[in-house]
Amino acid sequence: MLYFSATLLFVVVAKKHRYRSIIFYRDYFQDFFIRQRDKVKDKIIWTLDLIEEIPQIPETYLKHIENTEGLYEIRIQVGSDIFRVFCFFDKGQLVVLANGFQKKDQKTPKKEIESALKIKKQYEDEKK
């Protein structure tokens, strides 16, 4: 009689829970992203993953823009370079990425905020 003993190997891949999804509206974000250095791209991807994966996002990474209705900025810093990507929520858990820029001054430029608000309105009008 032959006895066969087999050892089974289970590989468990931890699937991360996603608290929210991120989509890109038109090409606004992609146009910004492709112009960045690899190091900046890596940090942007890391930050977007963080936004999807943690239940409560610190203001260090996602902050509401004052005096706007539902406009947020994703905050990215690589060394002394500061970048912002505007976004807004749709259906509570879906983050829609709009335009991005490199921040040169302490205050976010008004024209960048106005541009993001136009994109947000355009998105909302298309959803009607």
Side-chain angles (χ1 to χ4, degrees):
M1 209 180 213
L2 181 64
Y3 291 93
F4 178 74
S5 174
T7 304
L8 298 177
L9 176 63
F10 290 95
V11 178
V12 178
V13 177
K15 186 176 179 184
K16 295 179 181 174
H17 182 272
R18 302 271 182 203
Y19 288 93
R20 57 199 64 77
S21 298
I22 294 176
I23 66 165
F24 310 115
Y25 176 59
R26 298 204 175 169
D27 292 334
Y28 299 110
F29 172 76
Q30 291 93 317
D31 291 345
F32 162 75
F33 185 80
I34 61 172
R35 293 190 316 262
Q36 305 310 314
R37 305 183 318 269
D38 286 344
K39 208 172 195 176
V40 174
K41 287 178 184 176
D42 291 345
K43 186 67 178 266
I44 290 170
I45 292 166
W46 181 88
T47 306
L48 296 180
D49 284 344
L50 181 87
I51 289 168
E52 285 184 324
E53 294 170 1
I54 62 174
Q56 217 170 351
I57 307 156
E59 271 194 4
T60 308
Y61 302 107
L62 183 71
K63 184 177 179 186
H64 179 257
I65 302 291
E66 291 179 15
N67 303 316
T68 69
E69 199 168 312
L71 186 65
Y72 292 80
E73 65 178 6
I74 297 171
R75 307 169 79 159
I76 299 124
Q77 185 165 350
V78 179
S80 61
D81 294 331
I82 299 170
F83 302 87
R84 298 292 186 252
V85 176
F86 288 109
C87 63
F88 46 93
F89 288 87
D90 182 15
K91 298 179 185 164
Q93 297 303 316
L94 183 69
V95 180
V96 181
L97 297 183
N99 55 322
F101 68 98
Q102 184 170 359
K103 196 169 175 185
K104 306 275 185 188
D105 298 318
Q106 191 68 19
K107 207 150 167 68
T108 300
K110 194 171 182 82
K111 75 176 183 87
E112 296 289 352
I113 294 171
E114 289 168 357
S115 178
L117 288 170
K118 284 179 188 171
I119 293 168
K120 182 177 182 287
K121 181 175 180 349
Q122 192 177 33
Y123 174 85
E124 291 166 345
D125 288 347
E126 285 180 14
K127 297 243 351 173
K128 288 181 186 176

